[in-house]
């Protein structure tokens, strides 16, 4: 196809604005004879890129310099996500209330679906972002970035704004056509997006608690008591603490709900002797934590294909000609909470080492669209301490007259995130990738798994962790509440009345865990302790892995499955032909969707529970429930979460009701750190709770009017292009999908498997296959809105092939959907 040169056109407001007469629309459109939203065309033409598209709308950007690469990607990215990202930028600006309102006509706060599935009030969000995304933060982010990142950002912003000029307000997708909140992107806002991404595993969990943190209006007659050790022995008190809004908001991270799997397979376990990588992040299918496929090539300097978070300018997960890598969420504590002792005469002063100190005060204003169309100005003073901003959840972490709480976030000052990602992409081996990771030590919240063409595999955790020493953890987590949260959730609540409990920066790279091996490494969101059967990494700073995630603790379902899948493949005992991995049988191993805890427990449970001709059990309400059919369904279940495996949904419900079989009382053989794969195992026949929970599961199926033998294909369903699509995977298993349960359907909003890559190497370079489960574009009328999603389902239901990820020039140009365009200005 002949290349076409695009010419810049002026982007103007929709003519709809000229016809709007209501107060709300007039206030949104503004007045005057100039267009304040029109991007300026640069005075000097300095950007040029070629965008080559392959199947499923994947852009391969080719440029002579980093500015050009950013420019081409900014244009291609906007083409896929302009509406979603424009709204995210609006969020970063603290302007959601201005365009969408703060409360409805009944005074109920207006919320939006946050990055981790929480519904966040617009007003609290606006104050959160105005407080944190300041000009000083933008200056620090720019100053911290290297020259190549600065060039990429400059180019990305120019390319994004070029797309706006070319399309005009009326040329935008239907999702945001004519919307006045779609504005040009500034460089400050691009950097704010990086800071937001860095804090996804920390401060973003507490937007409402930070954005709404205000001192008590009236001094209470009596100070709220600090919980005592005796009080915390009460189950009711423990429940209240764990269900405090602030603690509850961390369950996505602390319980590994948002997770990932990653394999680095070395020459000892692959048939070819070359390395192999499975990349399998489990992330939301909505919002700014979506991933986007891309390939950036800067002549002679950089050539990486993979996926990145929306608004990031380089691949975060991917491969080059020599090495492939992926990431999983790490266990590091990136933030700490601090319990402040307040000055009894003023709740905006705190006592440090016996001295009363004033909190920093910042007066901020937010514009809020009202139900009658008017715009209201809301002023709020935001408070901060030397630890960081105040938090207030109105419950366990309420701001009272004697006690209040602040948060310190190591990733707020992480200015090297994108430089780190760029440097990772320049690695030429697993060894040099480890060196790159140690250079900046700036991966914000992830482990890294990798393998190279020579068959070396790497596990490394150079994630940012709060620079808290073991001595500080021992001395400063000194309240009963803090000790309870550390033990049960791994959350760190420190004494804020002592300067000795202050910290800055992150745990240095010299104290970070890594291992290079010739056989394999795996991580599935448990700690660094157990990356391969032959490796134990221990003795590292405790802040990296606290509480249930500490070194030597029981391993999760996905971690155990990850190990046993490799060991069975190497032994040839998994039912596939031969021994060792090929790209094809790695995909088969993954698609099998084993439920390993079921393999370790279910047969013995059924033998004990289903004996006799008419097995039954009382449910939790005291009703006698016939278990005959449930026993029959589970006895023939393959212990896999396949799309058409009867029994998978029934066991899933039992597993959910049991708390994922985490209690030791369910198991015949207790957990042994010397055997973290095969323990715990077996059913403890003295446990009567499990039978009751199976009865509860049977009753739940009856309430849902769902047969006990129902299969995932009919229940894990989303609708795209007005047609249902069955989504593979299990809620708790290595092959992962989680969806909102409504009327017996596990559907939108969905999170789980996202960017899937299977990568190895031959004499010509990388051999890669994979896809983006939710497809490239968020625009409903795009050809790439659901094409990969349908293929993803067909791979499991119809035996369709995983698509190739074309990397070389020959592969790109040979792609059946190849097309190219050049842009410059």
């Amino acid at each position: 196809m002949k290349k076409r040169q695009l010419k810049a056109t002026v982007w103007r407001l929709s003519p709809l604005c000229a016809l709007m007469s209501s107060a709300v629309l007039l206030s949104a459109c503004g007045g005057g004879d100039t267009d304040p939203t029109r991007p300026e065309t640069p005075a000097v033409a300095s950007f040029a890129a070629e965008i080559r598209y392959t199947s499923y709308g994947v852009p391969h950007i080719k440029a002579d310099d980093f500015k050009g690469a950013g420019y081409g990607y900014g244009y291609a990215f906007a083409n896929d996500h302009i509406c979603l990202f424009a709204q995210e930028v609006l969020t970063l600006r603290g302007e959601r209330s201005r365009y969408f309102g703060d409360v409805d006509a009944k005074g109920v706060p207006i919320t939006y679906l946050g990055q981790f599935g929480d519904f966040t009030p617009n007003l609290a969000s606006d104050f959160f972002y105005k407080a944190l995304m300041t000009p000083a933060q933008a200056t620090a982010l720019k100053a911290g970035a290297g020259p190549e990142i600065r060039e990429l950002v400059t180019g990305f912003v120019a390319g994004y704004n070029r797309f706006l000029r070319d399309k005009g307000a009326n040329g935008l997708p239907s999702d945001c056509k004519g919307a006045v909140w779609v504005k040009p992107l500034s460089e400050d806002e691009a950097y704010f997006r990086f800071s937001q991404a860095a804090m996804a595993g920390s401060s973003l969990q507490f937007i409402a608690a930070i954005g709404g943190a205000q001192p008590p209006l009236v001094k209470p007659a009596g100070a709220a008591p600090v919980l005592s050790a005796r009080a915390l022995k009460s189950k009711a008190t423990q429940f209240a603490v764990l269900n405090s809004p602030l603690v509850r908001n961390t369950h996505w991270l602390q319980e590994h709900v948002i997770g990932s799997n990653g394999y680095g397979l070395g020459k000892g376990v692959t048939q070819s002797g070359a390395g192999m990588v499975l990349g399998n992040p489990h992330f939301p299918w909505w919002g700014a934590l979506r991933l986007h496929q891309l390939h950036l090539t800067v002549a002679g300097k950089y050539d990486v294909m993979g996926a990145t978070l929306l608004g990031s300018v380089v691949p975060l997960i991917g491969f080059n000609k020599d090495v492939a890598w992926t990431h999983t969420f790490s266990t590091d504590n990136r933030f700490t909470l601090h319990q402040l002792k307040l000055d009894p005469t003023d709740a905006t002063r705190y006592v440090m080492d016996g001295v009363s100190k004033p909190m920093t005060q910042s007066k901020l204003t937010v514009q809020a669209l009202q139900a009658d169309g008017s715009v209201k100005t809301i002023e709020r003073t935001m408070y901060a301490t030397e630890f960081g901003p105040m938090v207030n959840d109105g419950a366990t972490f309420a701001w009272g007259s004697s006690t209040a709480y602040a948060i310190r976030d190591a990733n707020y000052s992480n200015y090297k995130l994108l430089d780190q990602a760029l440097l990772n992409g320049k690695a030429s081996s697993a060894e040099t990738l480890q060196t790159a990771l140690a250079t900046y030590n700036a991966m914000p919240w992830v482990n890294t798994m990798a393998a190279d063409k020579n068959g070396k595999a790497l596990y490394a955790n150079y994630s940012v962790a709060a620079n808290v020493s073991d001595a500080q953890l021992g001395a400063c987590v000194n309240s009963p509440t803090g000790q309870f949260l550390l033990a049960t959730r791994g959350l760190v609540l420190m004494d804020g009345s002592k300067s000795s409990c202050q910290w800055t920066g992150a745990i240095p790279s010299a104290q970070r865990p890594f291992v290079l091996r010739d056989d394999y490494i795996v991580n599935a969101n448990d700690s660094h302790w157990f990356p391969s059967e032959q490796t134990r990494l221990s003795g590292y700073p405790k802040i990296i892995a606290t509480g249930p995630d500490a070194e030597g603790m029981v391993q999760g379902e996905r971690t155990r499955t990850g190990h046993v899948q490799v060991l069975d493949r190497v032994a040839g005992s998994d039912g596939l032909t031969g021994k060792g991995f090929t790209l094809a049988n790695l995909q088969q191993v993954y698609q099998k969707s084993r439920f390993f805890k079921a393999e370790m427990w279910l047969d013995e449970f059924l033998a004990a529970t289903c004996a006799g001709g008419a097995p039954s059990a009382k449910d939790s309400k005291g009703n006698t429930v016939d278990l005959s059919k449930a026993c029959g369904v589970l006895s023939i279940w393959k212990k896999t979460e396949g799309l058409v495996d009867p029994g998978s949904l029934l066991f899933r419900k039992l597993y959910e009701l049991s708390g994922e079989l985490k209690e030791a009382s369910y198991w015949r053989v207790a957990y042994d750190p010397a055997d973290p794969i095969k323990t715990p195992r077996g059913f403890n026949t003295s446990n009567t709770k499990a039978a009751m929970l199976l009865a509860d599961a049977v009753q739940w199926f009856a309430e849902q009017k769902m047969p006990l033998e129902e299969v995932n294909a009919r229940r894990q369903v989303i609708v795209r292009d007005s047609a249902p699509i069955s989504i593979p995977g299990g809620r708790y298993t290595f092959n992962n999908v989680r969806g909102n349960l409504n009327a017996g359907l596990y559907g939108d909003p969905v999170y789980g498997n996202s960017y899937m890559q299977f990568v190895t190497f031959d004499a010509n370079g990388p051999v890669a296959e994979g896809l983006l489960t939710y497809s490239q574009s968020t625009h409903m009328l795009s050809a790439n809105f659901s094409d990969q999603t349908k293929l993803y389902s067909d791979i499991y239901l119809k035996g369709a092939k995983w698509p190739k990820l074309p990397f070389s020039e020959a592969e790109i140009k040979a792609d059946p959907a190849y097309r190219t365009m050049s842009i410059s200005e």
Side-chain angles (χ1 to χ4, degrees):
M1 181 181 293
K2 185 178 180 180
K3 297 178 184 178
R4 56 191 179 95
Q5 188 78 17
L6 296 183
K7 295 183 179 180
T9 59
V10 176
W11 186 81
R12 298 187 183 278
L13 278 176
S14 166
L16 288 173
C17 285
L19 302 176
M20 294 173 181
S21 58
S22 72
V24 59
L25 296 180
L26 283 173
S27 66
C29 289
D33 57 2
T34 61
D35 178 1
T37 67
R38 180 174 58 83
E40 295 295 327
T41 302
V44 179
S46 56
F47 305 100
E50 183 183 3
I51 307 173
R52 291 92 53 76
Y53 283 99
T54 56
S55 297
Y56 310 106
V58 178
H60 303 254
I61 315 300
K62 189 176 182 181
D64 292 333
D65 54 33
F66 284 95
K67 280 197 299 184
Y71 180 67
Y73 181 54
Y75 193 97
F77 168 77
N79 185 60
D80 284 332
H81 296 294
I82 187 66
C83 295
L84 172 61
F85 194 67
Q87 190 170 142
E88 195 63 37
V89 174
L90 187 77
T91 303
L92 290 167
R93 292 186 183 118
E95 294 183 353
R96 293 195 65 88
S97 298
R98 170 66 182 83
Y99 292 97
F100 306 132
D102 63 328
V103 295
D104 64 17
K106 296 182 179 179
V108 177
I110 296 173
T111 63
Y112 66 97
L113 183 65
Q115 293 187 16
F116 287 95
D118 55 322
F119 285 92
T120 305
N122 283 348
L123 189 62
S125 175
D126 288 342
F127 279 111
F128 171 89
Y129 282 106
K130 282 183 176 287
L132 272 65
M133 302 304 173
T134 63
Q137 177 71 349
T139 298
L141 288 161
K142 290 179 186 178
E148 292 173 338
I149 289 297
R150 291 197 295 270
E151 288 185 10
L152 278 164
V153 172
T154 297
F156 181 86
V157 170
Y160 181 96
N161 290 339
R162 167 67 180 274
F163 179 85
L164 288 181
R165 292 197 307 273
D166 285 355
K167 297 299 180 183
N170 278 341
L172 296 179
S174 59
D175 318 41
C176 60
K177 184 176 182 179
V180 295
W181 46 264
V182 180
K183 301 178 182 179
L185 181 68
S186 72
E187 287 197 15
D188 280 8
E189 291 158 356
Y191 282 102
F192 288 156
R193 170 64 186 124
F194 308 153
S195 190
Q196 181 198 43
M199 293 188 291
S202 44
S203 292
L204 255 63
Q205 309 302 306
F206 313 118
I207 291 175
I210 294 173
Q214 295 288 277
L217 294 175
V218 179
K219 183 179 178 181
V226 175
L227 292 173
S228 65
R230 180 177 180 180
L232 277 164
K233 290 181 180 179
S234 160
K235 293 291 185 182
T237 304
Q238 292 177 8
F239 181 84
V241 170
L242 295 177
N243 283 276
S244 174
L246 190 144
V247 177
R248 196 167 60 242
N249 282 354
T250 68
H251 89 281
W252 303 92
L253 308 178
Q254 304 300 326
E255 298 175 20
H256 304 168
V257 174
I258 297 294
S260 302
N261 308 315
Y263 276 142
L265 304 174
K267 58 188 176 184
V269 301
T270 65
Q271 292 184 14
S272 68
M276 196 173 295
V277 165
L278 162 65
N280 176 220
H282 304 158
F283 260 44
W285 287 29
W286 71 86
L289 285 177
R290 279 180 62 117
L291 293 161
H292 189 237
Q293 290 175 274
L294 74 161
H295 181 184
L296 290 188
T297 303
V298 179
K301 296 181 179 179
Y302 187 82
D303 191 12
V304 175
M305 186 174 184
T308 194
L309 291 173
L310 300 193
S312 297
V313 295
V314 291
L316 300 177
I317 291 172
F319 56 93
N320 60 28
K321 67 182 182 65
D322 300 311
V323 61
W325 62 95
T326 190
H327 299 301
T328 60
F329 227 99
S330 70
T331 58
D332 300 72
N333 276 283
R334 292 157 275 274
F335 67 91
T336 56
L337 297 166
H338 296 263
Q339 183 171 305
L340 306 177
K341 179 181 179 181
L342 298 181
D343 187 321
T345 67
D346 187 345
T348 65
R349 298 180 69 91
Y350 61 104
V351 178
M352 173 73 71
D353 297 333
V355 177
S356 176
K357 306 177 73 170
M359 296 178 186
T360 302
Q361 300 185 23
S362 302
K363 288 188 177 181
L364 302 174
T365 59
V366 165
Q367 301 295 308
L369 184 66
Q370 302 301 289
D372 63 2
S374 63
V375 176
K376 177 182 178 181
T377 298
I378 301 173
E379 185 176 281
R380 183 175 290 177
T381 299
M382 304 297 291
Y383 297 86
T385 69
E386 60 200 88
F387 299 109
M390 299 297 291
V391 296
N392 182 2
D393 72 352
T396 300
F397 294 90
W399 190 339
S401 62
S402 61
T403 304
Y405 300 88
I407 182 173
R408 187 169 190 84
D409 189 339
N411 267 319
Y412 186 62
S413 56
N414 181 359
Y415 307 133
K416 284 292 187 182
L417 162 62
L418 271 296
D419 285 277
Q420 183 67 74
L422 187 72
L423 191 62
N424 294 348
K426 296 180 179 181
S428 59
S429 65
E431 290 94 339
T432 58
L433 177 57
Q434 183 270 323
T435 301
L437 289 162
T439 300
Y440 296 124
N441 191 34
M443 298 309 297
W445 27 260
V446 292
N447 304 290
T448 302
M449 284 64 60
D452 62 27
K453 63 183 181 183
N454 297 317
K456 185 69 73 175
L458 168 70
Y459 164 79
N461 179 1
Y462 287 94
S463 177
V464 169
N467 193 18
V468 177
S469 68
D470 289 357
Q472 284 179 306
L473 272 182
C476 297
V477 181
N478 54 18
S479 70
T481 302
Q483 292 167 354
F484 172 71
L485 287 173
L486 186 64
T488 58
R489 286 293 183 270
L491 289 173
V492 178
L493 171 61
M494 303 179 74
D495 189 336
S497 68
K498 300 176 182 178
S499 59
S500 59
C501 296
Q502 178 62 287
W503 57 268
T504 59
I507 294 292
S509 59
Q511 297 179 50
R512 305 297 316 189
F514 78 93
V515 65
L516 287 153
R517 295 192 60 83
D518 290 335
D519 51 4
Y520 80 98
I521 56 86
V522 64
N523 184 270
N525 305 119
D526 284 307
S527 78
H528 55 271
W529 175 67
F530 184 41
S532 77
E533 185 190 29
Q534 301 299 319
T535 305
R536 303 293 184 275
L537 299 176
S538 60
Y540 291 90
K542 292 179 180 178
I543 194 73
I544 295 175
T546 52
D549 294 318
E551 296 170 359
M553 299 296 282
V554 63
Q555 302 295 284
E557 160 68 24
R558 288 185 290 107
T559 296
R560 295 171 72 187
T561 305
H563 285 285
V564 78
Q565 286 177 161
V566 173
L567 299 175
D568 287 355
R569 178 82 297 270
V570 172
S573 59
D574 57 4
L576 302 176
T577 58
K579 297 181 180 180
F581 283 97
T582 65
L583 207 64
N585 66 35
L586 174 59
Q587 292 163 353
Q588 290 176 296
V589 165
Y590 191 83
Q591 288 172 231
K592 189 175 181 180
S593 306
R594 292 171 68 171
F595 207 139
F596 186 66
K597 275 192 187 177
E599 295 177 19
M600 293 287 98
W601 183 84
L602 183 59
D603 287 347
E604 291 187 18
F605 168 71
L606 293 176
T609 305
C610 298
S616 64
K618 289 188 180 298
D619 66 12
S620 56
K621 296 179 180 179
N623 303 309
T624 299
V625 178
D626 181 2
L627 299 182
S628 301
K629 186 170 184 180
C631 289
V633 170
L634 290 175
S635 66
I636 62 172
W637 176 47
K638 295 185 290 185
K639 303 179 183 66
T640 58
E641 280 271 26
L643 273 174
V644 292
D645 294 343
S648 60
L649 284 172
L650 178 56
F651 183 79
R652 184 193 299 180
K653 189 62 183 179
L654 172 60
Y655 188 71
E656 173 190 312
L657 292 173
S658 74
E660 302 176 34
L661 295 175
K662 289 180 179 179
E663 292 180 18
S665 64
Y666 287 113
W667 298 94
R668 175 173 54 82
V669 177
Y671 171 66
D672 181 356
D675 187 8
I677 297 177
K678 296 297 181 66
T679 63
R681 68 175 179 270
F683 173 60
N684 176 14
T685 55
S686 65
N687 180 294
T688 58
K689 183 179 178 182
M692 179 192 74
L693 295 178
L694 179 57
D696 283 345
V698 170
Q699 297 288 62
W700 181 86
F701 271 72
E703 292 167 3
Q704 299 294 322
K705 297 181 172 55
M706 188 189 306
L708 294 175
E709 67 273 22
E710 182 63 290
V711 296
N712 291 345
R714 287 194 289 265
R715 295 291 168 173
Q716 282 178 188
V717 175
I718 61 172
V719 175
R720 296 291 185 270
D721 301 327
S722 301
I725 303 173
S726 298
I727 303 300
R731 186 171 179 83
Y732 303 100
T733 48
F734 200 81
N735 187 356
N736 189 263
V737 65
R738 288 174 176 256
N740 179 52
L741 179 60
N742 183 32
L745 294 176
Y746 292 85
D748 285 322
V750 171
Y751 51 100
N753 294 348
S754 53
Y755 171 66
M756 307 280 295
Q757 67 171 24
F758 304 88
V759 187
T760 189
F761 302 86
D762 63 16
N764 297 317
V767 179
E769 296 177 356
L771 51 66
L772 191 61
T773 57
Y774 36 69
S775 305
Q776 272 286 86
S777 177
T778 47
H779 300 140
M780 290 186 291
L781 298 182
S782 168
N784 305 124
F785 176 67
S786 61
D787 52 351
Q788 292 192 74
T789 312
K790 295 171 185 174
L791 175 61
Y792 178 53
S793 182
D794 286 347
I795 288 170
Y796 288 81
L797 284 176
K798 301 178 181 179
K801 301 295 185 183
W802 291 90
K804 293 186 180 298
L805 300 176
F807 181 79
S808 69
E809 284 293 306
E811 290 172 330
I812 292 168
K813 291 178 179 178
D815 188 276
Y818 176 74
R819 59 187 174 90
T820 183
M821 59 185 291
S822 294
I823 58 172
S824 65
E825 60 178 273

